Amino acid sequence: QEQLAESGGGLVKPGGSLRLSCSASGFIFSDSYMSWIRQAPGMGLEWISYINRDGSTVSYADSVKGRFAISRDDAEKSLYLQMNSLRAEDTAVYFCARVMGGCIVSWGQGTLVTVSS
Amino acid sequence: QLVLTQLPSASASLGASVNLTCSLSSGHRIYDIVWHQQQPEKGPRYLMRVNHDGSFSKGDGIPDRFSGSSSGTERSLTISSVQSEDEADYYCQTWGTDIQLFGGGTKLTVL
């Protein structure tokens, strides 16, 4: 059974940094395209970043471009999101997801990031 | 510009049928979409893919009462015989080159 488990969330001050991790199991991670999606409190889902299966292609939503970086370690079956220059509006639950042909087909349970002084 | 539009809320009586819609922006009628369900205090769950030709394919374990359809730029999710556990937020999702895009979500209330 496919499983995705995020970790690394927490409370951080504005301007600070945080690195999220997503551990994958139950599928061939190295063959998989992956994305990060976030959900601010009481709001809808917002796609923020995508990485293809060999890491040669990455993309970002305008809201995080230049501040966030997605990466992967296939040996560790892990996906990462390095978040720098964090702002209050980055406060959200962050989900990792597996992507197949553009479709998001599985989700993690999420990790909460709170940006506050 | 590719945009997905959903009504913010819907309601259905227990055991009734309900249809949720997701509208693609003009000029994007050949796009396929995916429906996701998010029950209260949980992460989202993949429900099904709905193709522009009206075919659909559900995820593992999704009950038979869930089905999909398509007409023009509208993609629909139909829940027949709504159950209390179907009270949730429903999001449609599509994609472009190296991006994913979500609709604003529809909150379904079961009466």
Side-chain angles (χ1 to χ4, degrees), chain A residues 35 39 47 59 101-102 104 107, chain B residues 36 38 46 93 95 98 100:
Chain A
S35 275
Q39 186 172 36
W47 168 81
S59 58
I104 292 171
W107 297 79
Chain B
H36 303 279
Q38 187 176 30
Y46 170 84
Q93 176 245 318
W95 57 94
D98 301 331
Q100 282 91 47

Side-chain angles (χ1 to χ4, degrees), chain B residues 35-48:
Chain B
W35 285 102
H36 303 279
Q37 178 195 59
Q38 187 176 30
Q39 294 171 320
E41 307 306 317
K42 290 190 174 182
R45 174 175 73 149
Y46 170 84
L47 287 179
M48 68 179 70

